[in-house]
């Protein structure tokens, strides 16, 4: 596609529900990143994929967070048993390579947990 | 652990002024530095990417410089316009820390 596409754009969940957020990166981009952005803050790293391999998940805040990219293209970030502190914008970005590639971001998925 | 600091946190200037946004980072072992713009409720738009071997990049009214040894970058905006109002984020890519963002500078250009 022309850019990074994320869905849904907005999600309201009741505390305890599971949610799944989807990212469709730019075609051919090897690297895919997930970030969490709280209101008024810069994005915080969650996890990184190179093709289908999850090479870094050090930023995932708890074991309730899980990400996958099974075929090396579309990625899904899943949050189980959502808590109010999970409310944030979840941003996906892709690049041709991790070290030198320009990052392109999607519009984000805004999650509100009630 | 890499830390990125952006100064000022907020800035409001009249239209037409030239302005400088500052970014500093603690670990100079970086691959590149990227400046982004973020409009309210939107994702991040890449403005300029500076590789570690480069000193500056220019795009239109924007000029970004990089001094890796001192851990600093500046984003210079010439002849500011109301449409430049947004949050500007600096991010560095380096080693095991991946890409680290600053908290951003919230810029308002007064018409």
């Amino acid at each position: 596609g022309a850019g990074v596409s994320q869905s849904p754009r907005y999600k309201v969940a009741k505390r305890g529900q599971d949610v799944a957020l989807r990212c469709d990166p730019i075609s051919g981009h090897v690297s895919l990143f997930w970030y969490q952005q709280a209101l008024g803050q810069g994005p915080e790293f969650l996890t990184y994929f190179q093709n289908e391999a999850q090479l870094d998940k050090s930023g995932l805040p708890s074991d309730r967070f899980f990400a996958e990219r099974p075929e090396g293209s579309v990625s899904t970030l899943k949050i189980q048993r959502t808590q109010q502190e999970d409310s944030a914008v979840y941003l996906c970005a892709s690049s041709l390579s991790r070290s030198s590639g320009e990052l392109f971001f999607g519009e984000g998925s805004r999650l509100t947990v009630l | 652990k890499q830390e990125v600091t952006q100064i000022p946190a907020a800035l409001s200037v009249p239209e037409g002024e030239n302005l400088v946004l500052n970014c500093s980072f603690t670990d100079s072992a970086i691959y590149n530095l990227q400046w982004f713009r973020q409009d309210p409720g939107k994702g991040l738009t890449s403005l300029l990417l500076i590789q570690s071997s480069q000193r500056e990049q220019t795009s239109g009214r924007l000029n970004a410089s990089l001094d890796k040894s001192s851990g600093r970058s500046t984003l210079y905006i010439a002849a500011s316009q109301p449409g430049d109002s947004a949050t500007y984020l600096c991010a560095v890519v380096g080693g095991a820390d991946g890409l680290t963002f600053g908290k951003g500078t919230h810029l308002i250009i007064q018409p």
Side-chain angles (χ1 to χ4, degrees), chain B:
Chain B
K1 179 176 165 63
Q2 178 75 272
E3 293 183 6
V4 179
T5 303
Q6 291 188 245
I7 295 173
L11 182 63
S12 180
V13 300
E15 179 179 5
E17 282 199 8
N18 302 324
L19 53 97
V20 175
L21 308 182
N22 296 291
C23 171
S24 61
F25 45 96
T26 54
D27 185 351
S28 61
I30 65 170
Y31 293 121
N32 64 56
L33 182 146
Q34 199 165 352
W35 281 94
F36 295 89
R37 169 188 173 134
Q38 187 173 33
D39 293 284
K42 300 288 188 180
L44 280 67
T45 300
S46 176
L47 297 174
L48 290 163
L49 169 70
I50 311 176
Q51 301 292 348
S52 62
S53 58
Q54 297 174 323
R55 299 282 298 198
E56 67 177 339
Q57 283 286 329
T58 298
S59 176
R61 293 182 294 108
L62 305 179
N63 175 275
S65 67
L66 173 63
D67 184 342
K68 208 171 72 158
S69 61
S70 67
R72 292 179 182 175
S73 176
T74 60
L75 178 67
Y76 177 82
I77 303 177
S80 58
Q81 303 171 358
D84 295 331
S85 298
T87 297
Y88 290 80
L89 291 154
C90 163
V92 297
V93 175
D97 290 332
L99 187 137
T100 305
F101 281 86
K103 288 184 168 25
T105 294
H106 182 55
L107 176 64
I108 296 175
I109 307 298
Q110 306 153 11

Side-chain angles (χ1 to χ4, degrees), chain A residues 30 48-55 67-74:
Chain A
V30 168
Y48 161 67
F49 289 86
Q50 182 172 302
N51 295 309
E52 69 279 4
Q54 189 175 21
L55 298 186
E68 61 183 4
R69 193 186 185 197
E71 297 177 0
S73 54
V74 171

Side-chain angles (χ1 to χ4, degrees), chain A residues 38-75:
Chain A
L39 192 64
Q41 301 294 314
E44 295 283 344
F45 171 78
L46 292 177
T47 186
Y48 161 67
F49 289 86
Q50 182 172 302
N51 295 309
E52 69 279 4
Q54 189 175 21
L55 298 186
D56 187 348
K57 54 181 181 179
S58 61
L60 295 177
S62 78
D63 59 7
R64 296 185 295 102
F65 287 71
F66 172 76
E68 61 183 4
R69 193 186 185 197
E71 297 177 0
S73 54
V74 171
S75 177

Side-chain angles (χ1 to χ4, degrees), chain A residues 20-23 34 49 66-70 74-78:
Chain A
L21 308 176
R22 175 189 168 106
C23 173
W34 283 99
F49 289 86
F66 172 76
E68 61 183 4
R69 193 186 185 197
V74 171
S75 177
T76 303
L77 176 66
K78 298 179 180 178

